Amino acid sequence: MIFAANFKVNHTRVSTAAYMQALAGRMNEKKVEDRVLVFPPATALDAYKGDFTVGAQNAYPAISGAYTGEIGVMQLEEFNIKTVLIGHSERREILGESQEVIAEKFQFFLSRSFEIIYCIGEPLEVREQGDEAVAAYLLAQFEGIDTHGEKLIVAYEPIWAIGTGRSATVEEISSTHKMLKSHISAPLLYGGSVKPSNIQEIIGVDGVDGVLVGGASLEVDSFMALVTA
Ligand code: 13P
């Protein structure tokens, strides 16, 4: 299983360092063999030691240059970071990233051998239209994306389940993952209100290769409860 923690705009450098140290110790103690990834905010990226992968929540598709407010490959390589999250719904919806911009980022980081966690997800009004509408909406988010890359992980995160406390149902996850799996060969994560109380049933769903977690990843105890579930 793959367990990925997306801190979003939470934690500082100091609290992230404490988190990583605690996580490394706890994973060691529990002899965790699953894959664990952590995406701290850009200011807290560093070369942390532990049996987990540290990735960037976002980066600009350039090595370096005049892109005020962004970070590029140069800033990631300082810490040996070779994993990046692309296409998160918060970047699509709040930061206005179009499919074209996302595909450009994807191609750029793919060509530099980055591991990419590529996120897709539908809004509630699409979910309410039924499975066919959901499939069309999600598959459109693969436009310009090479879904057969070796270092690719896809994360299905229904927008209406993110941060709402209301996860998708086991049936919804199951049917959506089944549909997606007929189009991709990459591992497929589920994200959206994953927490200690629902982790068992979610990772038990056929076609779920892991989870991408926001809120419940912010405390080491809670994240470890997911990893060891
Ligand atoms: P929550 O786990 O807080 O719903 O967030 C999910 C998410 O967006 C992870 O990328």
Side-chain angles (χ1 to χ4, degrees), residues 42-105:
T43 54
L45 292 175
D46 209 336
Y48 298 104
K49 286 198 176 60
D51 217 355
F52 46 75
T53 301
V54 177
Q57 293 175 21
N58 174 53
Y60 194 79
I63 307 280
S64 61
Y67 309 102
T68 302
E70 298 285 323
I71 59 168
V73 172
M74 186 190 231
Q75 287 71 34
L76 300 178
E77 282 188 341
E78 180 178 14
F79 307 120
N80 229 348
I81 289 166
K82 292 290 280 180
T83 300
V84 64
L85 214 96
I86 295 178
H88 194 285
S89 62
E90 285 152 16
R91 296 209 60 88
R92 293 179 191 263
E93 307 278 307
I94 304 170
L95 283 306
E97 282 189 10
S98 65
Q99 185 60 29
E100 199 182 345
V101 163
I102 289 166
E104 188 194 329
K105 278 191 186 185

Side-chain angles (χ1 to χ4, degrees), residues 4 6 8 85 88-90 119 157 161-165 191-195 212-217:
N6 177 8
K8 308 188 180 182
L85 214 96
H88 194 285
S89 62
E90 285 152 16
C119 306
E157 299 199 302
I162 295 177
T164 58
S193 296
V194 174
K195 47 197 171 195
L212 177 55
V213 190
S217 75

Side-chain angles (χ1 to χ4, degrees), residues 120 122 127 131 134-135 138 156 168 170-182 188:
I120 58 172
E122 83 287 356
R127 172 54 68 179
D131 288 351
V134 170
L138 295 178
Y156 167 57
V170 163
E171 291 73 27
E172 287 164 332
I173 299 172
S174 171
S175 64
T176 309
H177 276 229
K178 190 170 170 210
M179 181 278 293
L180 291 170
K181 286 250 175 189
S182 67
L188 182 57

